[in-house]
Amino acid sequence: MYCEVALPVPLDQTFTYGVQPGQSPKRGSRVIVPFRNEKLIGVVTGTEAKARPEFEVRNVEAVLDEEPLLSEHLLELGEWVAQYYLAPLGEVLRAMLPLTAEVRRTVYYRITDLGRDLLASTVEGESGGTRARDTARRSQGKLSREGHDLERRVLERLASGEAVKVSRLRTATAATLPVLAAMVRKKWIARETAAAERDARRMERFAVLAPEMRLPKLTEKQQGLLAELAACGGDVPLAELRRRDLPASTLQTLVRRGLVRIEERPEQFRLGGLRPASAPFALNGAQNGALESITAAFGAFRPFLLYGVTGSGKTAVYLAAMQQALDRGLSAILLVPEIGLTPQTAGLLDAAFGQKVALLHSALTPEERSEQWRRIRRGEAPIVVGTRSAIFCAAPNLGLILVDEEHDQSYKQEETPRYNARDVAVMRAKLAGAVVVMGSATPSLESWQNAEGGKYARIELSDRVMNRPLPEVELIDMRREFQETGKDEIFSRALMAQTRAALERGEQALILLNRRGYSFAVMCRACGAKLDCENCAIALTHHKSAAEEAGEARVGQRLECHYCGYRRTVPARCPKCESEHLYYLGAGSQQGEERLQEIFPGARIGRMDRDTVRGRADLERLLARLHSGEINLLVGTQMIAKGHDIHGVTLVGVVGCDHALSMPDFRAAERVFQLMTQVSGRAGRGELKGRVVVQTYHPDHYAIMAAAAHDYKAFAERELKYRRWMHYPPFGVLANVLVQSEKMEEAAGWSALLGKALAEAQSRAGGIRVLGPCTAPIARIKGVYRFHMILKSSSRKALNQALRSMLASAEQAGVPRRNIVVDVDALRLM
C-alpha cells in the first residue's frame, strides 16, 4: 500500500510513501514521514497512490491520528486555497492545523565524510601535504581563522559519527546556531530532525489537604498554610500559593509528613476579555430586520454585506445571530481582524455564551491553541472567536460565519500561504452550505461592488443605536496653522483647546498618531544622510527609554528597525560626514505622549501601540484602565481605531493620517478614508455627543472630505470610477510577484528571467499586463534583496495560467521556489 502525503515544504507537489503493516492512514490524518535528513509531519491526501518505479519509496514512520483531523470539506477548502493563491498544499494544510504542540521535534547534527576528512587534515597539520590540499579543495576552503577553534571543537565532538542533539552540542562547544548553519552549508556536518508525538495537555499542580487526620505538632507557618488551604476549600494551585508568598519549604515539609499532597490536573483555559459594563440594549427595528434577513437564510449558502455606520449596533446583531444558530444546533465563527479586538469581543461572548466559546489567535501558547482547536472539533465550543486563522477551525455543523471589520488589511496573511481570510470565509461558507456575513462601516470596495452587482445581499444600518448622532468633524488645515504660528507643532491649537475642554468636563479623549516610536527618522543636517538599518533599506526609528523621557540620559538613545528588529544607539557624529548636527525627523506616538504630558500635566495619559502592548495581558490591562476611566487621554497608532466601544470618549483627534496619500499605492485613498472614519467612530458612542478634529495637509482631497461628511457612498462612487478607468480591483485582478535573494545580482537575474517568461505568457494569452521587473519600493529586508513584478488582468483564469507558466519556467531554470513569492490579490505592494 502507498499513500500521498502533503508536506510543509515550498514545493508544489505531494509525496508518495509506503504504508507498513499495522498502519492505516486515512485521508485527512497526520503522519510522521522521513524527508531528506528530517522527520516531517504531513497530512494524507490520498490512500490509493501508486509508486513510480524510478524512485525509491520510503515508509511512513508513524500515523498520529486514528480518525481524520480534517474533514472532506476542510480538505477541499485547503485544496482551493492552494489552487487560488498558488501556495504549496502542504504549507496550506500546516496553517490549517495549529497542533505543533502535539509533536516534539528534536534537532541533531552528524559529521559528514567531508567534515571527517577536514578534521583529519587539520590534525596532520597544514603542512601542504597532498591529502590536506585535496581535502581543502573538496571542502571549498579551509576552516576560517576566526572560527577555527570553534568549528574544530564541533567536528571533534561529532567525530564518533553518532548524531548529537543540538542542545548538547552547543553546551559542549559554545557554538551558535549561525555557526552550525554555516558548517551545514559547507557540508562539514549534516542537520537531522526527529519527531515524536507528545501529550500537549496543559497541566496545573495543586496542593490538596489530606483527609482528616490527627495533626502532629506544627510550626506557626505550617499551621498558617494548612489554614489557608482549608479556607480555600482544601485545594489551591501552587502558582496561587507562590503569589501569596507562602514558603515553598513549609509546603514540602507538610507533603513529607502526609498532611498535604500534590496533584496534577488539566489546567482550565481562561477566556479573559473585558466584561461588558452594562447589559446589551434590546435590538431596534433596523437591527431586528438585519437579524431576520440573516436567520431566514440559515441552512444554505448566502453571503451578506452588513453595512452599518459606526455605533449602529452591528456587534449586537452578530451576538443575536449566533444565539439563533446555537438554538438550531449550528456552530458559528466570528472573525476579528486583530488581537486588539479579541478582549472586548471575548468578554461579550463569554457573558452571552460562557463555556461554549473558544478563542483562537496568535497570542495563545501552542498548547492553548491545540487545546482550543480540540474543544472546537469535539463540539464542546460551538461559538468560535478569533483572528484570520480561526477560519480553518474544525467547527462541526457550521451554520454561520461572521467577518467583523471585513475591510481590514489584517485579514490578509503576509507569509505563505498568502490567503485573505475574508475571501476564504466566503468559500468555506459555500462548501459548508452556511451563511456568511461581512460587516463594516467602511466596506472594502471589492465587497461593495459584489453587493452592487448582486453577488452579496446588502443590509444597511444607517443610524446609530438610540438615534445618537454621528460626531461632528472639524478639518484643520496644517498649512495655514504653520503660516499663522510659524511653528512646526505636532498638535494644532484647536485640537489642544478642545482636548483641554473635554478633560475639564470629566470626559475622555483619543488621539490617533499613526507612527510608532519617538521620531521616524534621524537625518544629518550637513549632508542629508539618514541613519538606515544595516539589514533593510529603511530608516531606523528613534525610540526613547523611560529614563531618557524623564530627562536622566541624553546619549546613546535607541534606534530600531521595525522590520528586522535591528537596534543601535544614536551616534555622536554622522557616520558619513562626521557632522555633529543630527536632526530627529517627524513625530511618533511616543513623542506625542511626551508632548501631551507637558501640555496636560494633570491628565491620566496612556499610550497604545506595539511598544506598550506586547501581548494579550498588556492589551487587556490597558483597555480595562480605559473603560474604567483610569485613563482619560489615550494616544496611539491605528490600534485605537478598531472597534473599541468606550462610552466616555467624546473627543477624537486625528494627526498625520493623510501621510499615506503620498504612498505609491492605488489603495491609499481607500485606506485613509477607512482609518479616518473608523477612528472618528470612537467618539460619541455614549450619552454625550462626540466631536472629531482632523489635522490634514490635504483638506480638499475627496477621501478626507467624504470621511468628514460620513459619506461612504460618495467616496465609493468616486473611487470606483477611478478604479474602473485604471482597471484596478474590483474591475480587474492583480498579483504581486516578489523575487528575493541574499545576493542582489542573483535576485536581479532571476527577476529578469521571470519577467521574460511572463512577457511570453502575455504574448500567448493576452489580456495580461506586466509591470516590471523593478526594484521593490523597500529594496532590502532582513538582508534579502527584493525585486518585484505586478500583474494585472481582467480574467482571473488568465492571471492564474500566466503565474503557473512563470513558476514552471522558474523550475526549469533552477530558480528555488522559496525565493519566489506569489501574492494573489495583493494588498501591500511595498
Side-chain angles (χ1 to χ4, degrees):
M1 288 181 62
Y2 301 97
C3 65
E4 285 295 315
V5 179
L7 294 175
V9 294
L11 297 171
D12 296 306
Q13 64 179 93
T14 56
F15 299 87
T16 305
Y17 285 90
V19 178
Q20 302 180 71
Q23 294 178 338
S24 57
K26 296 181 175 63
R27 176 172 153 84
S29 60
R30 295 170 302 155
V31 291
I32 297 176
V33 296
F35 185 81
R36 296 175 180 164
N37 292 329
E38 301 193 37
K39 302 293 188 295
L40 298 181
I41 297 94
V43 175
V44 176
T45 59
T47 56
E48 298 180 358
K50 294 182 179 180
R52 293 170 60 181
E54 65 268 30
F55 293 110
E56 177 188 354
V57 177
R58 304 169 80 178
N59 290 329
V60 170
E61 293 206 350
V63 179
L64 298 179
D65 311 303
E66 294 181 4
E67 295 297 324
L69 279 188
L70 293 175
S71 64
E72 276 301 319
H73 107 252
L74 279 177
L75 281 171
E76 190 176 352
L77 180 67
E79 289 163 355
W80 177 85
V81 170
Q83 176 77 15
Y84 185 92
Y85 293 102
L86 278 80
L89 178 60
E91 297 196 334
V92 173
L93 297 180
R94 175 175 60 180
M96 296 176 71
L97 288 170
L99 304 177
T100 54
E102 297 182 4
V103 177
R104 179 183 289 106
R105 293 175 60 84
T106 310
V107 177
Y108 296 88
Y109 287 93
R110 189 191 300 273
I111 195 169
T112 63
D113 291 340
L114 191 59
R116 190 174 285 108
D117 290 347
L118 184 62
L119 181 62
S121 72
T122 59
V123 171
E124 289 177 10
E126 298 180 16
S127 58
T130 302
R131 181 179 179 185
R133 284 197 303 270
D134 290 345
T135 303
R137 274 197 299 269
R138 284 190 293 139
S139 63
Q140 301 172 356
K142 295 183 289 185
L143 292 174
S144 62
R145 289 184 180 181
E146 186 177 328
H148 183 282
D149 290 341
L150 188 59
E151 293 172 335
R152 179 170 175 167
R153 284 201 301 272
V154 172
L155 293 176
E156 287 174 344
R157 178 65 180 83
L158 299 175
S160 65
E162 294 182 359
V164 178
K165 191 184 295 187
V166 61
S167 56
R168 292 178 182 171
L169 182 61
R170 294 184 64 190
T171 301
T173 64
T176 62
L177 291 176
V179 167
L180 296 175
M183 294 179 72
V184 170
R185 286 195 298 270
K186 296 172 185 175
K187 301 184 179 179
W188 296 346
I189 61 175
R191 182 181 184 274
E192 301 175 357
T193 63
E197 195 170 6
R198 66 179 286 263
D199 186 353
R201 288 179 301 171
R202 296 180 306 116
M203 305 301 288
E204 191 172 17
R205 301 183 76 202
F206 280 75
V208 181
L209 201 59
E212 287 189 16
M213 58 185 298
R214 186 174 180 182
L215 295 178
K217 187 175 180 180
L218 300 172
T219 67
E220 186 177 339
K221 288 184 178 179
Q222 292 167 353
Q223 291 176 7
L225 199 152
L226 290 176
E228 191 79 27
L229 286 174
C232 295
D235 57 359
V236 176
L238 294 190
E240 181 62 28
L241 290 179
R242 285 194 292 271
R243 281 194 293 271
R244 298 182 187 184
D245 293 326
L246 295 170
S249 57
T250 304
L251 177 63
Q252 291 167 4
T253 301
L254 293 174
V255 170
R256 282 197 304 270
R257 299 179 73 172
L259 301 175
V260 175
R261 66 176 185 274
I262 305 298
E263 288 184 1
E264 276 199 346
R265 302 174 184 174
E267 185 176 351
Q268 294 297 312
F269 179 79
R270 296 167 180 84
L271 189 63
L274 301 172
R275 303 292 293 188
S278 58
F281 297 108
L283 298 186
N284 60 29
Q287 289 172 310
N288 275 315
L291 178 62
E292 289 171 8
S293 298
I294 294 167
T295 54
F298 280 168
F301 169 60
R302 185 80 187 278
F304 290 94
L305 175 64
L306 178 58
Y307 164 58
V309 299
T310 56
S312 59
K314 295 184 289 295
T315 303
V317 175
Y318 299 157
L319 292 173
M322 285 188 281
Q323 183 62 62
Q324 294 269 9
L326 202 59
D327 293 344
R328 302 185 191 197
L330 302 173
S331 57
I333 300 172
L334 171 60
L335 297 183
V336 293
E338 284 196 1
I339 298 169
L341 287 181
T342 52
Q344 183 171 298
T345 309
L348 288 169
L349 293 177
D350 189 30
F353 305 111
Q355 290 299 309
K356 294 180 180 179
V357 180
L359 184 65
L360 282 174
H361 58 68
S362 59
L364 301 180
T365 66
E367 289 77 14
E368 287 174 332
R369 280 200 295 273
S370 174
E371 175 188 300
Q372 293 296 292
W373 197 90
R374 293 282 184 181
R375 286 184 65 226
I376 295 165
R377 186 173 181 272
R378 291 193 297 265
E380 297 172 8
I383 302 295
V384 182
V385 58
T387 49
R388 58 178 176 260
S389 61
I391 191 57
F392 297 122
C393 70
N397 202 19
L398 181 63
L400 176 65
I401 302 175
L402 300 150
V403 186
D404 190 26
E405 310 293 0
E406 65 86 30
H407 66 276
D408 201 286
Q409 289 185 78
S410 301
Y411 284 123
K412 187 75 160 74
Q413 173 118 323
E414 293 302 322
E415 57 189 28
T416 304
R418 293 173 177 261
Y419 64 91
N420 189 317
R422 178 198 64 209
D423 299 336
V424 174
V426 175
M427 178 51 66
R428 179 161 189 192
K430 184 177 182 179
L431 294 173
V435 171
V436 57
V437 180
M438 292 155 281
S440 178
T442 54
S444 66
L445 291 175
E446 288 84 353
S447 295
W448 185 261
Q449 185 60 27
N450 281 334
E452 291 284 288
K455 289 184 179 179
Y456 300 166
R458 187 165 73 212
I459 304 171
E460 294 194 18
L461 300 175
S462 304
D463 300 305
R464 283 188 160 187
V465 295
M466 303 180 72
N467 293 317
R468 290 170 180 154
L470 287 165
E472 181 183 336
V473 180
E474 178 183 359
L475 298 180
I476 304 298
D477 187 341
M478 293 304 289
R479 300 169 300 183
R480 180 176 299 174
E481 181 80 7
F482 179 75
Q483 290 171 359
E484 293 177 358
T485 64
K487 297 178 182 179
D488 186 17
E489 294 283 357
I490 304 173
F491 304 118
S492 65
R493 294 165 296 173
L495 177 56
M496 290 300 90
Q498 296 204 38
T499 302
R500 187 182 305 278
L503 296 179
E504 288 174 351
R505 292 193 300 268
E507 299 161 6
Q508 292 173 291
L510 302 183
I511 295 180
L512 171 73
L513 211 171
N514 199 24
R515 282 186 182 270
R516 278 175 62 193
Y518 193 85
S519 301
F520 49 79
V522 180
M523 180 180 288
C524 174
R525 284 185 180 273
C527 69
K530 295 199 304 289
L531 293 183
D532 287 336
C533 174
E534 67 174 21
N535 304 315
C536 309
I538 200 77
L540 292 168
T541 300
H542 173 215
H543 289 256
K544 276 189 173 183
S545 69
E548 288 158 1
E549 288 172 358
E552 297 171 12
R554 295 295 300 170
V555 294
Q557 295 170 332
R558 177 165 62 93
L559 300 176
E560 182 177 339
C561 175
H562 293 163
Y563 284 86
C564 72
Y566 168 75
R567 293 182 179 185
R568 62 161 296 173
T569 56
V570 177
R573 296 176 178 273
C574 171
K576 188 173 180 181
C577 73
E578 294 295 316
S579 169
E580 297 178 355
H581 303 292
L582 295 177
Y583 172 65
Y584 296 97
L585 184 67
S589 55
Q590 197 177 22
Q591 187 176 158
E593 179 188 27
E594 183 183 89
R595 183 73 182 116
L596 290 172
Q597 286 171 341
E598 294 170 357
I599 299 171
F600 307 112
R604 303 182 299 277
I605 300 174
R607 188 173 97 237
M608 182 186 287
D609 56 28
R610 294 295 178 195
D611 299 309
T612 59
V613 177
R614 298 286 185 179
R616 176 181 166 196
D618 295 334
L619 183 63
E620 289 187 8
R621 279 194 296 269
L622 185 59
L623 289 175
R625 293 175 63 204
L626 186 62
H627 279 269
S628 68
E630 183 182 341
I631 292 173
N632 62 359
L633 178 55
L634 181 70
V635 61
T637 58
Q638 63 183 359
M639 292 178 72
I640 72 172
K642 298 182 178 181
H644 304 300
D645 186 22
I646 301 109
H647 287 198
V649 173
T650 59
L651 176 69
V652 167
V654 183
V655 179
C657 175
D658 54 357
H659 291 325
L661 292 174
S662 61
M663 300 294 286
D665 188 346
F666 71 91
R667 287 192 174 91
E670 181 181 10
R671 287 174 181 153
V672 168
F673 175 86
Q674 289 169 343
L675 183 57
M676 262 190 68
T677 302
Q678 291 290 334
V679 74
S680 298
R682 301 316 103 203
R685 298 173 75 94
E687 299 296 329
L688 300 174
K689 291 177 64 175
R691 186 172 180 82
V692 181
V693 178
V694 179
Q695 298 181 182
T696 178
Y697 286 92
H698 306 281
D700 300 324
H701 193 283
Y702 64 92
I704 303 287
M705 295 174 67
H710 305 290
D711 194 344
Y712 174 83
K713 293 181 179 179
F715 167 77
E717 182 181 357
R718 181 156 181 178
E719 182 70 10
L720 285 171
K721 190 180 297 183
Y722 157 69
R723 299 277 185 93
R724 187 180 283 109
W725 286 341
M726 302 301 294
H727 304 287
Y728 279 126
F731 302 105
V733 291
L734 181 143
N736 188 31
V737 177
L738 193 67
V739 183
Q740 43 193 12
S741 172
E742 293 180 357
K743 300 176 182 177
M744 185 171 68
E745 299 80 6
E746 200 169 52
W750 288 343
S751 64
L753 187 149
L754 298 186
K756 184 178 179 182
L758 285 171
E760 293 174 357
Q762 179 181 2
S763 62
R764 285 196 306 269
I768 300 172
R769 187 178 179 192
V770 181
L771 309 177
C774 64
T775 306
I778 302 177
R780 188 167 55 105
I781 294 179
K782 297 181 181 178
V784 175
Y785 292 93
R786 311 163 77 242
F787 290 77
H788 78 147
M789 294 158 280
I790 296 175
L791 281 71
K792 292 167 61 177
S793 177
S794 57
S795 164
R796 186 167 295 281
K797 181 179 179 181
L799 180 74
N800 195 288
Q801 288 175 346
L803 290 170
R804 292 192 179 280
S805 173
M806 178 204 71
L807 290 175
S809 299
E811 185 177 0
Q812 291 174 0
V815 181
R817 180 66 172 87
R818 63 178 172 273
N819 292 77
I820 305 171
V821 174
V822 178
D823 192 358
V824 176
D825 297 340
L827 294 183
R828 291 182 174 91
L829 303 176
M830 302 299 287

